Amino acid sequence: MLKIRIEKTTRPKDLPKADDPLKFGTIFTDHMFLMNYEEGEGWHDPRIVPYQPICLEPSAMVFHYGQEMFEGLKAYKAVDGRTLLFRPNKNIERANRSNKRLCIPEIPEEVFLEALKTLVKIDEQWIPEKEGTSLYIRPFVIATDPFLGVRPANSYLFIIILSPVGAYYPEGLNPVKIWVEDEYVRAVKGGIGEAKTGGNYVASLKSQVKAHDEGYSQVLWLDGVHRKYIEEVGAMNIFFKIDGTILTPELNGSILPGVTRASVIELCKEWGLPVKESRISIDEIYEAHKNGTLEEVFGTGTAAVISPVGQLRWEDHIMKVQDGGIGQLSQKLYDTLTGIQLGKIEDKHNWTVEV
Ligand SMILES: *Cc1c(COP(=O)(O)O)cnc(C)c1O
């Protein structure tokens, strides 16, 4: 296996103060991981160096045609002092599925995992310890050829940076208000909706701005063909509990296959709840709301883990869920997942990986 070269900083930064709210994605640790790819040579020169700006040609392909992939996962300080990653192999597998779709060369899985562990270990003292906090890990690949033609690049840079993040909801789980978007779309089948890549996010900004202006924190996307079937939320997958059944949109080619989504499905099945991955129309949700069977709605994703939805707005209809409060299942899923991540609950599934 490729050996990671390590160059430690001689000027460590001040760690954030214990009471710093750690606004998401604003502070970065002392080190970062880099690895280059060149056609003919493959991935080479894996190294950990002091966190610093990178130098690219203005003609670097990523700036023009967006050939890039990213991932997002977290490291946690467990209650017994261990440092834990949550299902990192799922992120690594998904990264390589995204890479394939985006014509980026795949990254050897063992090098990827070793890079995550080594980097997190080196900056371990940056993992915050207050309830709900963690160290967010952002691996990404960019195309670096200085070339304005359209084709897959011949050279790439794989980078991992780390950022201590505060509790997503400083006052505990907090229901969000969601805008069901029926004008713009995020992705269509055959496009890049299944890949974790910047292009999907730039496609979503216009609608997100509109939703924010209307007082809604996130957008729920409908399918790009009929504007009828539910896809997912900004950076979360979505679940509904209707009359005791747990429903989530099936992975249809335009939805991001979330690691949290997969974990929630497994837990619900273990708890004996009926789980259905299927095509769900917004009319069905509206009907369930009208007849009183829409019991819970929640989003799932690494950042917030579980995000209860207190209100959905679709066209002129405002659907309140759980009277704007937190459902029992949402709370139980949140407590269980964060309990496993922090080593408070026995990890029967072997989901955590010690650094
Ligand atoms: C990352 C992401 C998710 C959530 O995936 P997790 O692996 O659970 O963090 C959902 N939707 C989109 C569009 C995403 O980018």
Side-chain angles (χ1 to χ4, degrees):
M1 192 174 94
L2 292 171
K3 188 156 166 41
I4 300 173
R5 179 164 62 80
I6 296 171
E7 177 197 333
K8 285 212 185 158
T9 183
T10 52
R11 283 182 296 159
K13 297 182 261 193
D14 290 335
L15 294 175
K17 303 234 162 37
D19 59 355
D20 190 314
L22 297 173
K23 213 165 152 266
F24 182 84
T26 50
I27 297 176
F28 301 94
T29 65
D30 282 326
H31 298 91
M32 63 184 187
F33 173 87
L34 295 173
M35 180 162 70
N36 293 79
Y37 179 94
E38 252 78 45
E39 190 70 29
E41 192 176 358
W43 288 106
H44 62 94
D45 196 15
R47 58 208 184 272
I48 288 172
V49 297
Y51 181 92
Q52 61 192 288
I54 52 170
C55 189
L56 293 172
E57 299 250 1
S59 54
M61 290 175 83
V62 65
F63 296 135
H64 306 280
Y65 311 118
Q67 197 190 7
E68 80 96 31
M69 173 287 297
F70 73 91
E71 267 300 327
L73 67 161
K74 284 174 170 177
Y76 303 85
K77 196 44 100 178
V79 283
D80 59 5
R82 288 177 304 153
T83 294
L84 301 177
L85 303 175
F86 185 71
R87 310 189 80 176
N89 289 309
K90 284 265 187 199
N91 294 88
I92 294 172
E93 287 163 19
R94 184 174 66 193
N96 277 333
R97 285 200 306 275
S98 297
N99 281 341
K100 268 194 206 156
R101 176 63 183 86
L102 301 164
C103 298
I104 295 172
E106 287 177 59
I107 299 163
E109 292 191 4
E110 67 287 355
V111 179
F112 200 145
L113 184 61
E114 192 62 23
L116 290 173
K117 286 181 168 179
T118 311
L119 181 63
V120 168
K121 192 80 193 170
I122 284 179
D123 280 341
E124 201 168 24
Q125 74 279 13
W126 284 85
I127 307 175
E129 298 194 11
K130 260 205 344 218
E131 176 93 34
T133 64
S134 56
L135 186 68
Y136 185 78
I137 307 172
R138 170 53 58 86
F140 61 108
V141 177
I142 51 174
T144 54
D145 297 20
F147 178 55
L148 294 184
V150 178
R151 58 154 170 78
N154 292 322
S155 55
Y156 298 87
L157 198 52
F158 174 38
I159 308 177
I160 308 175
I161 54 176
L162 306 174
S163 174
V165 294
Y168 200 85
Y169 300 111
E171 284 93 44
L173 267 190
N174 214 354
V176 292
K177 288 166 67 181
I178 290 210
W179 176 276
V180 183
E181 177 60 66
D182 57 8
E183 182 187 356
Y184 301 109
V185 300
R186 172 185 174 274
V188 289
K189 209 175 291 193
I192 54 172
E194 284 189 303
K196 215 165 167 77
T197 180
N200 288 325
Y201 280 78
V202 75
S204 75
L205 294 178
K206 186 92 182 160
S207 169
Q208 187 185 309
V209 168
K210 183 175 71 173
H212 278 185
D213 288 348
E214 300 279 348
Y216 288 76
S217 64
Q218 308 223 30
V219 170
L220 177 63
W221 299 104
L222 299 178
D223 77 280
V225 178
H226 310 93
R227 307 280 202 284
K228 176 177 160 93
Y229 300 103
I230 290 169
E231 299 245 314
E232 61 173 314
V233 185
M236 295 192 291
N237 297 109
I238 188 95
F239 284 76
F240 303 89
K241 181 163 174 258
I242 297 178
D243 206 13
T245 296
I246 317 305
L247 292 159
T248 193
E250 62 192 343
L251 298 177
N252 61 355
S254 52
I255 296 173
L256 203 286
V259 177
T260 322
R261 174 187 182 278
S263 308
V264 161
I265 291 173
E266 269 187 65
L267 286 176
C268 287
K269 285 183 177 166
E270 274 171 34
W271 295 341
L273 299 166
V275 180
K276 257 172 65 184
E277 296 176 63
S278 57
R279 196 158 85 154
I280 306 163
S281 73
I282 185 68
D283 309 87
E284 268 172 75
I285 301 302
Y286 184 57
E287 271 312 302
H289 169 257
K290 270 201 308 196
N291 65 29
T293 53
L294 183 60
E295 293 161 8
E296 291 190 38
V297 182
F298 55 90
T300 65
T302 296
V305 188
I306 301 292
S307 199
V309 174
Q311 186 176 311
L312 281 169
R313 178 190 165 144
W314 172 53
E315 297 174 342
D316 295 333
H317 314 298
I318 302 224
M319 300 176 238
K320 273 220 165 177
V321 191
Q322 281 282 335
D323 233 353
I326 301 165
Q328 240 177 19
L329 178 64
S330 307
Q331 187 72 53
K332 185 176 174 188
L333 283 165
Y334 179 81
D335 293 342
T336 305
L337 284 169
T338 55
I340 294 170
Q341 288 161 347
L342 297 175
K344 289 184 193 168
I345 294 178
E346 191 202 344
D347 178 17
K348 286 183 288 193
H349 310 85
N350 279 325
W351 280 347
T352 57
V353 170
E354 193 178 343
V355 163

